[in-house]
Amino acid sequence: MEQRVSLITVGVDDPAAAAAFYEAMGWKRVDSPDGVIAFDLIGQTLGLYPLSALADEIGVDPGALGQGALTLSYNCRSKDEVPQVLSKADKAGAKVLKTASDVFWGGHHGYFRAPDGTIWEVAFNPFSALAPDGAFRWNGYE
């Protein structure tokens, strides 16, 4: 696993209100599918996602995520890399919460909880190709 964070997903009760805050700070949204609000950062993307939808996607009760819930996402270069990273995390002491599987928006992902409690998504997004150095942007690099 390369040393980087690709996507920071924040589970929020009111995505529109959360987005309004970041927009008031001068941040600009990027195009994204319904249900996700995305802001490209320098080398990462911040995604705002409904807390209940995030809990459902991970397979846990929303109360288990608490307030300010977020996931750190590691994007892979291929679909085949997703289960490899999940396996490595499992062997390193993480708990796999969701095994690698296809997702409704066309990608492939899974989740693990690191020993410190941090939840990571491991994903392959065919619409967001990584730069040669592994940098991530929501709509990919050309």
Side-chain angles (χ1 to χ4, degrees):
M1 183 173 176
E2 297 170 13
Q3 186 174 314
R4 64 182 151 77
V5 174
S6 306
L7 174 66
I8 301 165
T9 302
V10 180
V12 296
D13 286 325
D14 187 343
F21 167 77
Y22 290 105
E23 289 170 330
M25 297 295 289
W27 289 20
K28 307 287 184 226
R29 290 188 201 198
V30 296
D31 290 337
S32 60
D34 287 343
V36 178
I37 297 171
F39 298 91
D40 278 338
L41 309 175
I42 299 171
Q44 299 91 18
T45 295
L46 175 72
L48 304 176
Y49 199 59
L51 182 62
S52 59
L54 180 62
D56 185 56
E57 187 172 306
I58 295 169
V60 299
D61 182 83
L65 297 178
Q67 294 297 317
L70 64 92
T71 61
L72 299 178
S73 295
Y74 177 81
N75 278 43
C76 298
R77 297 179 191 284
S78 71
K79 182 177 179 175
D80 294 339
E81 190 181 347
V82 174
Q84 294 170 9
V85 173
L86 289 169
S87 176
K88 186 172 187 173
D90 181 55
K91 289 176 184 168
K95 178 180 179 179
V96 175
L97 300 172
K98 181 178 182 180
T99 59
S101 59
D102 291 336
V103 67
F104 72 93
W105 48 263
H108 192 75
H109 72 173
Y111 288 90
F112 68 84
R113 185 185 307 268
D116 66 5
T118 302
I119 296 176
W120 282 81
E121 175 189 32
V122 180
F124 169 67
N125 185 336
F127 310 109
S128 297
L130 300 175
D133 67 356
F136 176 87
R137 278 198 302 215
W138 189 259
N139 291 313
Y141 286 86
E142 295 180 11

